Coordinates of all heavy atoms in Angstrom, one line a residue:
I155 N 24.2 6.9 23.6 CA 24.1 8.2 24.2 C 24.8 9.2 23.3 O 24.3 10.3 23.0 CB 24.7 8.2 25.7 CG1 23.8 7.3 26.6 CG2 24.9 9.6 26.2 CD1 24.4 7.0 27.9
Q156 N 26.0 8.8 22.8 CA 26.8 9.6 21.9 C 26.0 9.9 20.6 O 26.1 10.9 20.0 CB 28.0 8.8 21.5 CG 29.1 9.5 20.8 CD 30.2 8.5 20.4 OE1 30.7 7.7 21.3 NE2 30.6 8.5 19.1
N157 N 25.1 8.9 20.2 CA 24.3 9.1 19.0 C 23.1 10.0 19.3 O 22.2 10.1 18.4 CB 23.9 7.8 18.4 CG 25.1 7.1 17.7 OD1 26.0 7.7 17.3 ND2 25.0 5.8 17.6
G158 N 23.0 10.5 20.5 CA 21.9 11.4 20.8 C 20.7 10.9 21.5 O 19.7 11.6 21.7
F159 N 20.8 9.6 22.0 CA 19.7 9.1 22.8 C 20.1 8.7 24.2 O 20.6 7.6 24.5 CB 19.2 7.8 22.0 CG 18.7 8.1 20.7 CD1 19.5 8.1 19.5 CD2 17.3 8.5 20.5 CE1 19.0 8.5 18.3 CE2 16.9 8.8 19.2 CZ 17.7 8.8 18.1
A160 N 20.0 9.7 25.1 CA 20.4 9.5 26.4 C 19.6 8.5 27.2 O 20.2 7.6 27.9 CB 20.3 10.9 27.2
A161 N 18.3 8.5 26.9 CA 17.5 7.5 27.7 C 17.5 6.2 26.9 O 17.4 6.1 25.7 CB 16.0 8.0 27.8
P162 N 17.6 5.1 27.7 CA 17.5 3.8 27.0 C 16.1 3.6 26.3 O 15.2 4.2 26.7 CB 17.6 2.8 28.2 CG 17.9 3.5 29.4 CD 17.7 5.0 29.1
F163 N 16.1 2.8 25.2 CA 14.9 2.6 24.5 C 13.9 1.7 25.2 O 12.7 1.8 25.0 CB 15.2 1.9 23.1 CG 16.1 2.8 22.2 CD1 16.9 2.2 21.3 CD2 16.1 4.2 22.3 CE1 17.7 2.9 20.4 CE2 16.9 4.9 21.5 CZ 17.7 4.3 20.5
G164 N 14.4 0.8 26.1 CA 13.5 0.0 26.9 C 12.7 -1.0 26.0 O 11.5 -1.1 26.2
I165 N 13.4 -1.6 25.1 CA 12.7 -2.6 24.2 C 12.4 -3.9 25.0 O 13.4 -4.5 25.5 CB 13.4 -2.8 22.9 CG1 13.4 -1.4 22.1 CG2 12.8 -3.9 22.1 CD1 14.3 -1.4 20.9
H166 N 11.1 -4.2 25.1 CA 10.8 -5.3 26.0 C 10.7 -6.7 25.3 O 11.0 -7.7 25.9 CB 9.4 -4.9 26.6 CG 8.9 -5.9 27.6 ND1 9.6 -6.2 28.7 CD2 7.7 -6.7 27.6 CE1 8.9 -7.1 29.4 NE2 7.8 -7.4 28.7
T167 N 10.2 -6.7 24.0 CA 10.0 -8.0 23.4 C 11.0 -8.2 22.2 O 11.1 -7.3 21.4 CB 8.5 -8.0 22.8 OG1 7.7 -7.5 23.9 CG2 8.1 -9.4 22.4
W168 N 11.7 -9.3 22.2 CA 12.8 -9.6 21.3 C 12.5 -10.9 20.6 O 12.2 -11.9 21.3 CB 14.1 -9.6 22.0 CG 14.5 -8.3 22.6 CD1 14.0 -7.7 23.7 CD2 15.5 -7.4 22.1 NE1 14.6 -6.5 23.9 CE2 15.5 -6.3 23.0 CE3 16.4 -7.5 21.0 CZ2 16.4 -5.3 22.8 CZ3 17.3 -6.4 20.8 CH2 17.3 -5.3 21.7
C169 N 12.8 -11.0 19.3 CA 12.7 -12.2 18.5 C 14.1 -12.8 18.3 O 15.0 -12.1 17.9 CB 12.1 -12.0 17.2 SG 10.5 -11.2 17.2
L170 N 14.2 -14.1 18.6 CA 15.5 -14.8 18.5 C 15.6 -15.3 17.1 O 15.5 -16.5 16.8 CB 15.6 -16.0 19.5 CG 15.5 -15.6 21.0 CD1 15.2 -16.8 21.8 CD2 16.9 -15.0 21.4
G171 N 15.9 -14.4 16.2 CA 16.1 -14.7 14.7 C 14.7 -14.8 14.0 O 13.7 -14.4 14.6
N172 N 14.8 -15.3 12.8 CA 13.6 -15.4 12.0 C 13.6 -16.6 11.1 O 14.6 -16.9 10.4 CB 13.5 -14.1 11.0 CG 12.3 -14.2 10.1 OD1 11.2 -14.1 10.5 ND2 12.6 -14.4 8.8
E173 N 12.6 -17.4 11.1 CA 12.4 -18.5 10.2 C 13.6 -19.3 10.0 O 14.0 -19.5 8.8 CB 11.8 -18.0 8.9 CG 10.4 -17.5 9.0 CD 9.6 -17.2 7.7 OE1 10.2 -17.3 6.6 OE2 8.4 -16.9 7.8
M174 N 14.3 -19.7 11.0 CA 15.6 -20.3 10.9 C 15.6 -21.8 10.3 O 16.6 -22.3 10.0 CB 16.3 -20.4 12.2 CG 16.7 -19.0 12.8 SD 17.5 -17.9 11.7 CE 19.0 -18.8 11.3
D175 N 14.3 -22.3 10.1 CA 14.2 -23.6 9.4 C 14.2 -23.5 7.9 O 14.2 -24.5 7.2 CB 13.0 -24.4 9.9 CG 11.7 -23.6 9.6 OD1 11.8 -22.3 9.5 OD2 10.6 -24.2 9.5
G176 N 14.0 -22.3 7.4 CA 13.8 -22.1 6.0 C 15.0 -22.2 5.1 O 16.0 -21.4 5.4
P177 N 15.1 -23.0 4.1 CA 16.3 -23.0 3.3 C 16.6 -21.7 2.6 O 17.7 -21.4 2.2 CB 16.0 -24.1 2.2 CG 14.7 -24.7 2.6 CD 14.1 -24.0 3.7
W178 N 15.6 -20.8 2.5 CA 15.8 -19.5 1.9 C 16.4 -18.5 2.9 O 16.8 -17.4 2.6 CB 14.4 -18.9 1.5 CG 13.4 -18.8 2.7 CD1 13.3 -17.8 3.6 CD2 12.5 -19.8 3.0 NE1 12.3 -18.1 4.5 CE2 11.8 -19.3 4.2 CE3 12.1 -21.1 2.5 CZ2 10.8 -20.1 4.8 CZ3 11.2 -21.8 3.2 CH2 10.5 -21.3 4.3
Q179 N 16.6 -19.0 4.2 CA 17.1 -18.1 5.2 C 18.6 -18.1 5.2 O 19.2 -19.1 5.0 CB 16.6 -18.6 6.6 CG 16.6 -17.5 7.7 CD 15.5 -16.5 7.4 OE1 15.7 -15.3 7.7 NE2 14.4 -16.9 6.8
M180 N 19.2 -16.9 5.3 CA 20.7 -16.9 5.4 C 21.1 -17.7 6.6 O 20.6 -17.4 7.7 CB 21.2 -15.4 5.5 CG 21.2 -14.6 4.3 SD 21.6 -12.9 4.5 CE 20.0 -12.1 4.5
C181 N 22.0 -18.6 6.4 CA 22.5 -19.5 7.5 C 21.4 -20.2 8.2 O 21.3 -20.2 9.5 CB 23.4 -18.7 8.4 SG 24.8 -17.9 7.6
A182 N 20.5 -20.9 7.4 CA 19.4 -21.7 8.0 C 20.1 -22.8 8.9 O 21.2 -23.1 8.7 CB 18.6 -22.3 6.9
K183 N 19.3 -23.3 9.8 CA 19.8 -24.2 10.8 C 18.9 -25.4 11.0 O 17.7 -25.3 10.7 CB 20.0 -23.5 12.1 CG 21.1 -22.5 12.1 CD 21.3 -21.8 13.4 CE 22.5 -20.9 13.5 NZ 22.8 -20.1 12.3
T184 N 19.5 -26.5 11.5 CA 18.6 -27.6 11.9 C 18.0 -27.2 13.3 O 18.5 -26.2 13.9 CB 19.4 -28.9 12.2 OG1 20.3 -28.7 13.2 CG2 20.1 -29.3 10.9
A185 N 17.0 -27.9 13.7 CA 16.4 -27.6 15.0 C 17.4 -27.6 16.2 O 17.4 -26.8 17.1 CB 15.2 -28.5 15.3
E186 N 18.3 -28.6 16.1 CA 19.3 -28.8 17.1 C 20.2 -27.6 17.1 O 20.5 -27.0 18.1 CB 20.1 -30.1 16.9 CG 19.4 -31.3 17.3 CD 19.3 -31.5 18.8 OE1 20.0 -30.8 19.6 OE2 18.4 -32.4 19.2
E187 N 20.7 -27.2 15.9 CA 21.7 -26.1 15.8 C 21.0 -24.8 16.3 O 21.6 -24.0 17.0 CB 22.1 -25.9 14.3 CG 23.0 -27.0 13.8 CD 23.2 -27.0 12.3 OE1 22.4 -26.3 11.6 OE2 24.0 -27.7 11.8
Y188 N 19.8 -24.6 15.8 CA 19.1 -23.3 16.1 C 18.8 -23.3 17.6 O 19.0 -22.3 18.3 CB 17.8 -23.1 15.3 CG 17.0 -22.0 15.9 CD1 17.5 -20.7 15.8 CD2 15.8 -22.2 16.5 CE1 16.8 -19.6 16.3 CE2 15.1 -21.1 17.1 CZ 15.6 -19.8 17.0 OH 14.9 -18.8 17.5
G189 N 18.3 -24.4 18.1 CA 17.9 -24.5 19.6 C 19.1 -24.1 20.5 O 18.9 -23.3 21.4
R190 N 20.3 -24.7 20.1 CA 21.5 -24.4 21.0 C 21.8 -22.9 20.8 O 22.1 -22.2 21.9 CB 22.7 -25.2 20.5 CG 22.6 -26.7 20.8 CD 23.0 -27.0 22.2 NE 24.3 -26.4 22.6 CZ 24.6 -25.7 23.7 NH1 23.6 -25.5 24.5 NH2 25.8 -25.2 23.9
T191 N 21.9 -22.4 19.6 CA 22.2 -21.0 19.4 C 21.3 -20.1 20.1 O 21.6 -19.1 20.7 CB 22.3 -20.7 17.9 OG1 23.2 -21.6 17.3 CG2 22.8 -19.3 17.6
A192 N 20.0 -20.4 19.9 CA 18.9 -19.5 20.5 C 19.0 -19.5 22.0 O 18.9 -18.5 22.6 CB 17.5 -20.0 20.0
R193 N 19.3 -20.7 22.6 CA 19.4 -20.7 24.0 C 20.6 -19.9 24.5 O 20.4 -19.1 25.5 CB 19.7 -22.2 24.4 CG 19.8 -22.4 25.9 CD 20.3 -23.7 26.3 NE 20.8 -23.7 27.7 CZ 20.0 -23.9 28.7 NH1 18.7 -24.1 28.5 NH2 20.4 -23.9 30.0
E194 N 21.7 -20.0 23.9 CA 22.9 -19.2 24.3 C 22.6 -17.7 24.1 O 23.0 -16.9 24.9 CB 24.2 -19.7 23.6 CG 24.6 -21.1 24.0 CD 24.6 -21.3 25.6 OE1 25.3 -20.5 26.3 OE2 23.9 -22.2 26.1
A195 N 22.0 -17.3 23.0 CA 21.7 -15.9 22.7 C 20.7 -15.4 23.8 O 20.9 -14.3 24.4 CB 21.1 -15.8 21.3
A196 N 19.7 -16.2 24.0 CA 18.7 -15.8 25.0 C 19.3 -15.6 26.4 O 19.0 -14.6 27.1 CB 17.6 -16.9 25.1
K197 N 20.2 -16.5 26.8 CA 20.9 -16.4 28.1 C 21.6 -15.1 28.2 O 21.4 -14.3 29.2 CB 21.9 -17.6 28.2 CG 22.2 -18.0 29.5 CD 22.9 -19.4 29.4 CE 24.4 -19.3 29.1 NZ 25.0 -20.6 29.0

Side-chain angles (χ1 to χ4, degrees):
I155 294 165
Q156 192 186 309
N157 288 337
F159 297 89
F163 298 153
I165 295 173
H166 183 58
T167 313
W168 294 74
C169 302
L170 296 163
N172 177 70
E173 296 190 350
M174 295 309 302
D175 60 335
W178 57 87
Q179 203 68 216
M180 283 175 256
C181 303
K183 293 180 172 35
T184 65
E186 285 288 344
E187 289 166 348
Y188 170 68
R190 287 281 306 132
T191 305
R193 178 191 166 87
E194 293 310 306
K197 203 166 84 181

